Amino acid sequence: MRPAALDAELPFPLSELLAALSEALRRRPFRQRIADAALTLGDESLMPFREARAGRAD
């Protein structure tokens, strides 16, 4: 399947979604998003990871 054929079936081009996804993950990495979600759900086992991340600039 050609990319243009797939894009025609989507509400917007897949390349735009991938570019937006890449930018969002550059601003806030996936690991940080997972840790934040786990802490929101009350998983305290990730607290040391969270504290270590707070001291680093990404």
Side-chain angles (χ1 to χ4, degrees):
M1 175 181 274
R2 295 178 332 207
L6 179 58
D7 281 350
E9 295 180 45
L10 301 173
F12 47 85
L14 184 58
S15 60
E16 288 181 21
L17 173 64
L18 293 176
L21 176 63
S22 178
E23 179 60 23
L25 291 174
R26 185 195 62 73
R27 288 189 307 268
R28 192 164 150 244
F30 201 50
R31 284 184 69 176
Q32 183 179 359
R33 293 168 188 273
I34 292 170
D36 290 346
L39 290 173
T40 298
L41 296 173
D43 186 346
E44 294 297 323
S45 68
L46 290 175
M47 188 57 74
F49 171 78
R50 183 66 191 255
E51 291 167 352
R53 296 287 297 161
R56 291 177 41 192
D58 284 332

